[in-house]
Amino acid sequence: MKQLYHVLGAKQLVRDELEELFESARAMEEVVAAGGDRRYEGRIMTTLFFEASTRTRLSFESAMHRLGGSVIGTENAGQFSSAIKGETLEDSIRILSGYSDVIVMRHTEIGAAKRAAKVAGVPVINAGDGAGEHPTQALLDAYTIKKEFGRIDGLKIAMVGDLTYGRTVHSLSYILANYQDVMIYYIAPENVQIPVNVKRYLDEKGIEYMETDDLDAVAGSVDVLYQTRIQKERFPSVEEYEKASGRYIVDAELMSRMGRESIVLHPLPRAGEITEEVDADPRAAYFRQAVNGLYIRMALIDKCLGGSR
Amino acid sequence: MKQLYHVLGAKQLVRDELEELFESARAMEEVVAAGGDRRYEGRIMTTLFFEASTRTRLSFESAMHRLGGSVIGTENAGQFSSAIKGETLEDSIRILSGYSDVIVMRHTEIGAAKRAAKVAGVPVINAGDGAGEHPTQALLDAYTIKKEFGRIDGLKIAMVGDLTYGRTVHSLSYILANYQDVMIYYIAPENVQIPVNVKRYLDEKGIEYMETDDLDAVAGSVDVLYQTRIQKERFPSVEEYEKASGRYIVDAELMSRMGRESIVLHPLPRAGEITEEVDADPRAAYFRQAVNGLYIRMALIDKCLGGSR
Amino acid sequence: MKQLYHVLGAKQLVRDELEELFESARAMEEVVAAGGDRRYEGRIMTTLFFEASTRTRLSFESAMHRLGGSVIGTENAGQFSSAIKGETLEDSIRILSGYSDVIVMRHTEIGAAKRAAKVAGVPVINAGDGAGEHPTQALLDAYTIKKEFGRIDGLKIAMVGDLTYGRTVHSLSYILANYQDVMIYYIAPENVQIPVNVKRYLDEKGIEYMETDDLDAVAGSVDVLYQTRIQKERFPSVEEYEKASGRYIVDAELMSRMGRESIVLHPLPRAGEITEEVDADPRAAYFRQAVNGLYIRMALIDKCLGGSR
């Protein structure tokens, strides 16, 4: 039996694999521009979402269709599926393995994707597991940086907002750890700063970083400002949430202090943490970033399906 | 950049365009009879429904599949999507423009489709925006009249029921305003009669109409009786709703007073306002009308996708 | 007009038809192994689920895609569709007949599938109607037995659990009634034993059966142990439910008393009525059974669509 290729976490990819993936994503841009192709006609993707995430789900489904494949799935398995009747995740995955060729999974619990991969008969792609990881988001973030600057080495990257519960900044940090001379600024109120396990990982890899709660002091010297949403549902209490929210707003004033070649990223959706006046600024790269999600996911699907043939 | 073709409201189409669309819908009947074709293989439609409307959504999805295309979407974005996390409609549309080739949208607010079209990178089709418009329903209604009578000019058309909150009668009125010697009867209790802005539009176009609350007096002299459902959720209070509902029932008795060549239409679903005994009457055209929705939507998708190539 | 082929209940199939269906399912295994085919490209299936059943729905959708077809549908029509606006099932079916080539339907009421078939313009497949029937589950159960033993004649088959409200055991009993020298053991607490109408049917067909509440006494002598879930929602009261639940657990200890050539089946999802330690036992056939659902459903779709061409 052939080894399956799963996409479970950002740490699994080393630099060569990242570069190969970015190459593949670049090629997918041409595939889309040409109207898609039919390479996976007859192949089926399952989108198994235990919590709703319309954007991520539609991005994966679009990616599969652009490659000629079909999609089955559920928008909100947590509410609707037999999960509510007490079935284990493992049983669900075993059975869906018989119905499809790749499973894209969103779950509410850390480690759910790994548990799924252990019993799956087809590749599993982690589309977010609770406060754990969201590797495909981090990969598209890194791909965007690569496209915008032509390199990742040597860049100064600030991550702003909820760095404790925001899983995309964890996954992105792991990916950046593969590059040279990267400097990361973690900008957050103390109560939602970057977790110690992320810092330990960066220490092991010899990546420089600093923690601060002062966005204004840093904004002028970074290449990438990665803004994130403060998600109420990730906080243990309303008090903790209120301390963190609304503190860091990217607006025209802040943009005026950023470098001319810098960019602003955001995993989206945004609430009010980037004002709409910024959208017209060429340094506002977050909508370009969103489209890159399609190409990265096409590349990942291709890797999973090509690898299991 | 090429101009995108959006379907936003019934007023946007003039007579020539309507006739062209009806020609296209007629051709689509043959396409379906032949088992569909593959002209939009590889193209993707997004169905973005902020409120559930299973019939309308499935009609659009069937139309896209009959033309060989794929569909991604969400059944109930209002409940599930990142909308609940505070994202603006504009941001959602910007991103979905990167995932698909046409967006079919149902929203709860008047004007939502126009707002979407303003930022969309692909054509937008309005599948109903609150108490605003529902142009594709009105187009299939008009197409049905054209098919049943061979013409629209010179016909007497009664619209019955909730004419204030029922958006399909507004859109249909705008379309009928393109034709000659049409006479419209608005039959409703005073509290839900046709709004003044619709009447003003008809006045400008020189279309004759009359308002009455007496269905029996009019039934015998009309060619088309367009019955509608009284939707509780469109009324500001239970009292207003109760005054309007259940007042106009199309049953065998009423049919006996209608002309031999007349027809009964209904946008469906019906509650009790047309009794089942009427179904077998050849003048009951509402199920034929429902199938026409498929052909009209195929024609509209074709216009949107053909126009943006 | 050609006669439509509907799949409504397990009683509709006689032995020859069952064998033909099993042959077709066997052929579908090869189709899937070869990556599917495109025989129903352009054809559309509607999955109309008034209650959620993710597994069953995805199994049908996968089956349709493996044959090249498209799918439209709704996950939870009971909650979302115009049903809540008072539309009859009959009206829904009439209209969906215009949008698709076959309708797979799950409903909460006994007899709903038959009502649907009466007005449908396309084949209807019953994917479960309340406490009524679930014929496609029973067909895949029977197909699994046939595959595992090479025959059904002469086998001893125990059905365990909730035999009153568990519709799959009713449908399976009707199918087994087509075979020779079958012996059925109904193992359940008295309050949820097999209903009298099922027993009457077996009596008419001359099928032997016995009722008992003692699983241990029977386990060693059966070829097939068909375990089922006790579904809380099917019971009229919590007291009745608690009397029935948790009484019959298939675990390693029970397996040790079963025959070496016997198998354990389960329609899945399971809650705790088969312990995970049993999964590795080669006699645990329930995951093989689940995959068979795909092949049987492909065969049924093929029969419906081939028959209506």
Side-chain angles (χ1 to χ4, degrees):
Chain A
M1 196 170 139
K2 251 195 149 172
Q3 187 72 26
L4 296 174
Y5 185 82
H6 303 293
V7 181
L8 302 178
K11 287 182 197 165
Q12 79 182 57
L13 290 145
V14 298
R15 185 169 178 144
D16 281 358
E17 293 168 312
L18 289 167
E19 293 301 319
E20 192 190 302
L21 183 72
F22 296 161
E23 273 309 301
S24 172
R26 174 75 75 179
M28 291 303 175
E29 299 202 22
E30 278 155 44
V31 169
V32 171
D37 65 27
R38 311 297 297 163
R39 75 180 75 173
Y40 292 123
E41 186 163 78
R43 312 298 284 274
I44 300 171
M45 163 189 286
T46 298
T47 47
L48 180 65
F49 275 56
F50 285 87
E51 65 177 6
S53 176
T54 305
R55 177 192 318 302
T56 302
R57 183 174 59 78
L58 295 184
S59 166
F60 271 110
E61 297 188 355
S62 177
M64 185 62 173
H65 287 306
R66 289 289 186 219
L67 296 170
S70 299
V71 178
I72 61 176
T74 183
E75 276 199 62
N76 201 333
Q79 183 178 346
F80 288 147
S81 86
S82 45
I84 54 170
K85 296 173 185 163
E87 186 175 60
T88 63
L89 173 63
E90 281 81 0
D91 274 10
S92 295
I93 294 294
R94 279 182 190 109
I95 287 164
L96 291 175
S97 295
Y99 297 166
S100 56
D101 303 299
V102 57
I103 296 171
V104 176
M105 189 180 120
R106 172 81 152 230
H107 205 274
T108 54
E109 287 169 31
I110 296 181
K114 258 178 203 139
R115 282 169 51 208
K118 215 169 264 178
V119 300
V122 299
V124 171
I125 300 179
N126 181 4
D129 52 350
E133 285 216 48
H134 191 0
T136 68
Q137 176 68 48
L139 289 166
L140 79 90
D141 295 339
Y143 177 57
T144 302
I145 296 170
K146 179 76 192 285
K147 260 180 78 176
E148 298 277 332
F149 290 93
R151 65 189 165 94
I152 296 178
D153 293 327
L155 294 180
K156 292 186 173 67
I157 295 160
M159 303 186 196
V160 184
D162 164 13
L163 306 181
T164 299
Y165 304 103
R167 61 191 162 198
T168 63
V169 298
H170 306 170
S171 293
L172 180 55
S173 298
Y174 300 144
I175 287 172
L176 294 177
N178 287 285
Y179 289 87
Q180 303 294 318
D181 300 318
V182 165
M183 171 74 196
I184 307 179
Y185 299 86
Y186 292 115
I187 302 168
E190 234 176 274
N191 63 329
V192 288
Q193 254 297 358
I194 195 80
V196 67
N197 60 320
V198 176
K199 291 190 282 185
R200 208 175 291 135
Y201 188 84
L202 297 178
D203 289 339
E204 279 166 25
K205 300 282 174 178
I207 300 297
E208 267 194 284
Y209 60 87
M210 67 165 283
E211 297 167 84
T212 172
D213 66 353
D214 191 349
L215 172 58
D216 289 349
V218 170
S221 56
V222 300
D223 300 297
V224 178
L225 191 138
Y226 189 95
Q227 172 70 302
T228 66
R229 190 159 50 89
I230 305 281
Q231 288 184 264
K232 200 170 188 174
E233 64 270 30
R234 300 278 177 232
F235 280 78
S237 75
V238 177
E239 289 72 35
E240 295 287 296
Y241 167 68
E242 283 175 353
K243 261 194 269 179
S245 77
R247 174 120 181 235
Y248 306 109
I249 307 293
V250 176
D251 55 15
E253 201 275 322
L254 188 90
M255 293 302 288
S256 74
R257 276 184 284 148
M258 286 190 61
R260 282 179 51 187
E261 306 292 320
S262 69
I263 60 171
V264 176
L265 298 181
H266 191 299
L268 301 178
R270 63 176 161 178
E273 64 275 0
I274 300 179
T275 60
E276 283 187 35
E277 63 190 350
V278 177
D279 294 1
D281 193 309
R283 296 170 297 173
Y286 33 88
F287 291 123
R288 300 196 290 274
Q289 177 189 7
V291 180
N292 288 336
L294 180 68
Y295 309 130
I296 278 288
R297 284 166 183 138
M298 289 173 73
L300 289 168
I301 291 167
D302 190 54
K303 181 123 176 95
C304 286
L305 289 181
S308 65
R309 266 188 295 200
Chain B
M1 196 170 140
K2 250 196 150 171
Q3 185 72 26
L4 296 174
Y5 185 82
H6 304 291
V7 181
L8 302 178
K11 287 182 198 166
Q12 79 181 57
L13 291 144
V14 299
R15 184 168 178 145
D16 280 358
E17 293 168 312
L18 288 167
E19 293 301 318
E20 192 190 302
L21 182 72
F22 296 162
E23 273 308 300
S24 173
R26 173 77 74 178
M28 291 302 177
E29 301 202 21
E30 277 155 45
V31 169
V32 171
D37 65 28
R38 311 297 298 164
R39 75 179 75 173
Y40 292 122
E41 185 162 79
R43 311 298 283 274
I44 300 172
M45 162 188 286
T46 297
T47 47
L48 179 65
F49 275 57
F50 285 86
E51 66 177 5
S53 176
T54 305
R55 176 193 319 300
T56 301
R57 183 174 58 79
L58 295 185
S59 167
F60 271 110
E61 297 189 354
S62 178
M64 185 62 173
H65 287 306
R66 289 290 186 218
L67 295 170
S70 298
V71 177
I72 61 176
T74 183
E75 276 198 62
N76 202 333
Q79 183 177 346
F80 287 146
S81 87
S82 47
I84 54 170
K85 296 173 185 163
E87 185 174 62
T88 62
L89 173 64
E90 280 80 0
D91 274 11
S92 296
I93 294 293
R94 278 182 191 108
I95 287 165
L96 292 176
S97 295
Y99 298 166
S100 56
D101 303 299
V102 57
I103 297 171
V104 176
M105 190 180 120
R106 171 81 152 228
H107 204 275
T108 54
E109 287 169 32
I110 296 181
K114 258 179 203 139
R115 283 169 50 208
K118 214 169 264 180
V119 300
V122 299
V124 171
I125 301 178
N126 181 4
D129 52 350
E133 284 216 49
H134 192 358
T136 67
Q137 177 69 48
L139 289 166
L140 79 90
D141 295 340
Y143 177 56
T144 302
I145 296 171
K146 179 76 191 286
K147 259 179 80 176
E148 298 277 334
F149 290 95
R151 64 189 165 95
I152 296 179
D153 292 327
L155 294 181
K156 293 186 174 67
I157 296 161
M159 302 186 196
V160 185
D162 163 13
L163 306 181
T164 298
Y165 304 103
R167 61 191 161 198
T168 62
V169 298
H170 306 170
S171 294
L172 181 55
S173 297
Y174 299 144
I175 287 172
L176 295 178
N178 288 285
Y179 289 86
Q180 303 294 317
D181 300 319
V182 165
M183 170 75 197
I184 307 180
Y185 300 85
Y186 292 115
I187 303 169
E190 234 176 273
N191 63 328
V192 288
Q193 254 298 359
I194 195 79
V196 67
N197 60 321
V198 176
K199 290 189 283 185
R200 207 175 291 137
Y201 188 85
L202 297 179
D203 288 340
E204 280 166 24
K205 301 281 174 179
I207 300 297
E208 267 194 283
Y209 60 86
M210 66 165 283
E211 296 167 82
T212 172
D213 66 354
D214 190 350
L215 172 57
D216 289 348
V218 171
S221 57
V222 300
D223 299 298
V224 177
L225 190 138
Y226 189 94
Q227 172 71 303
T228 66
R229 190 160 51 89
I230 304 281
Q231 286 184 265
K232 200 171 187 172
E233 64 269 31
R234 300 278 176 232
F235 280 79
S237 75
V238 179
E239 290 72 36
E240 294 288 297
Y241 167 68
E242 282 174 356
K243 263 194 267 180
S245 76
R247 173 118 182 238
Y248 306 108
I249 306 294
V250 176
D251 54 15
E253 200 275 321
L254 187 90
M255 293 304 287
S256 73
R257 275 184 285 148
M258 287 190 61
R260 282 181 51 189
E261 306 293 320
S262 69
I263 61 170
V264 176
L265 297 181
H266 191 298
L268 301 179
R270 62 176 162 179
E273 64 275 1
I274 300 179
T275 60
E276 284 187 34
E277 62 190 352
V278 177
D279 294 1
D281 192 310
R283 296 171 297 175
Y286 33 88
F287 290 122
R288 299 195 290 275
Q289 176 189 8
V291 180
N292 288 335
L294 179 68
Y295 308 130
I296 278 288
R297 284 164 184 141
M298 289 173 73
L300 288 167
I301 291 167
D302 191 54
K303 181 123 176 94
C304 286
L305 289 181
S308 65
R309 265 190 296 201
Chain C
M1 194 170 141
K2 248 195 152 175
Q3 186 71 27
L4 297 174
Y5 185 82
H6 303 291
V7 180
L8 302 178
K11 286 181 196 166
Q12 79 182 57
L13 291 145
V14 299
R15 185 168 178 146
D16 280 358
E17 293 168 311
L18 290 167
E19 293 301 319
E20 192 191 303
L21 182 73
F22 295 161
E23 273 309 300
S24 173
R26 173 77 75 179
M28 291 302 177
E29 300 202 21
E30 278 155 45
V31 169
V32 171
D37 64 28
R38 311 296 298 163
R39 77 180 73 174
Y40 293 123
E41 186 164 79
R43 311 298 284 272
I44 301 172
M45 163 189 286
T46 297
T47 47
L48 179 66
F49 276 55
F50 286 86
E51 66 177 4
S53 176
T54 305
R55 176 191 319 301
T56 301
R57 183 174 59 79
L58 295 185
S59 167
F60 271 109
E61 297 188 354
S62 177
M64 186 62 173
H65 287 306
R66 290 290 187 218
L67 295 170
S70 300
V71 177
I72 61 176
T74 183
E75 277 199 62
N76 202 333
Q79 184 177 345
F80 288 145
S81 87
S82 46
I84 55 170
K85 297 173 185 163
E87 186 175 62
T88 62
L89 173 64
E90 280 79 0
D91 274 10
S92 296
I93 293 293
R94 278 182 191 108
I95 286 163
L96 291 176
S97 295
Y99 297 167
S100 57
D101 303 299
V102 57
I103 296 171
V104 175
M105 188 180 122
R106 172 82 151 227
H107 205 274
T108 54
E109 287 168 31
I110 297 182
K114 259 179 202 137
R115 283 169 51 208
K118 215 169 263 179
V119 300
V122 298
V124 171
I125 301 179
N126 181 6
D129 53 350
E133 284 216 50
H134 192 358
T136 68
Q137 176 68 48
L139 288 166
L140 79 90
D141 296 338
Y143 176 57
T144 302
I145 295 171
K146 180 74 194 286
K147 259 179 80 177
E148 297 277 332
F149 290 94
R151 66 190 164 93
I152 295 179
D153 292 326
L155 294 180
K156 292 187 172 68
I157 295 160
M159 302 186 195
V160 185
D162 164 13
L163 306 181
T164 299
Y165 303 103
R167 62 191 162 199
T168 63
V169 298
H170 306 169
S171 293
L172 181 55
S173 298
Y174 299 145
I175 287 173
L176 294 178
N178 287 285
Y179 290 86
Q180 303 296 317
D181 300 317
V182 166
M183 171 74 196
I184 307 179
Y185 299 85
Y186 292 115
I187 303 169
E190 233 177 273
N191 63 329
V192 289
Q193 255 296 359
I194 194 81
V196 65
N197 60 322
V198 176
K199 290 190 284 185
R200 207 174 291 136
Y201 188 85
L202 297 178
D203 289 340
E204 279 166 23
K205 300 283 175 177
I207 300 296
E208 267 193 283
Y209 60 87
M210 65 166 284
E211 296 168 84
T212 173
D213 66 354
D214 191 349
L215 171 58
D216 289 348
V218 171
S221 55
V222 300
D223 300 297
V224 177
L225 191 140
Y226 190 93
Q227 172 69 302
T228 65
R229 191 161 50 88
I230 304 281
Q231 286 185 264
K232 201 170 186 173
E233 65 268 31
R234 300 278 177 233
F235 280 79
S237 75
V238 179
E239 290 72 35
E240 295 288 297
Y241 168 67
E242 282 174 355
K243 262 195 268 181
S245 78
R247 174 119 182 236
Y248 306 108
I249 307 294
V250 176
D251 54 15
E253 201 273 323
L254 188 90
M255 293 303 288
S256 74
R257 275 185 284 147
M258 286 190 61
R260 284 180 49 188
E261 306 293 321
S262 69
I263 61 171
V264 176
L265 298 181
H266 190 300
L268 302 177
R270 62 177 161 177
E273 63 276 0
I274 299 179
T275 61
E276 283 188 33
E277 63 190 350
V278 177
D279 294 1
D281 192 310
R283 297 170 296 174
Y286 33 88
F287 290 122
R288 301 195 290 273
Q289 177 189 7
V291 180
N292 289 335
L294 180 67
Y295 309 130
I296 278 288
R297 283 164 184 141
M298 289 172 74
L300 288 168
I301 290 167
D302 190 54
K303 182 124 176 93
C304 286
L305 289 181
S308 65
R309 266 189 296 200

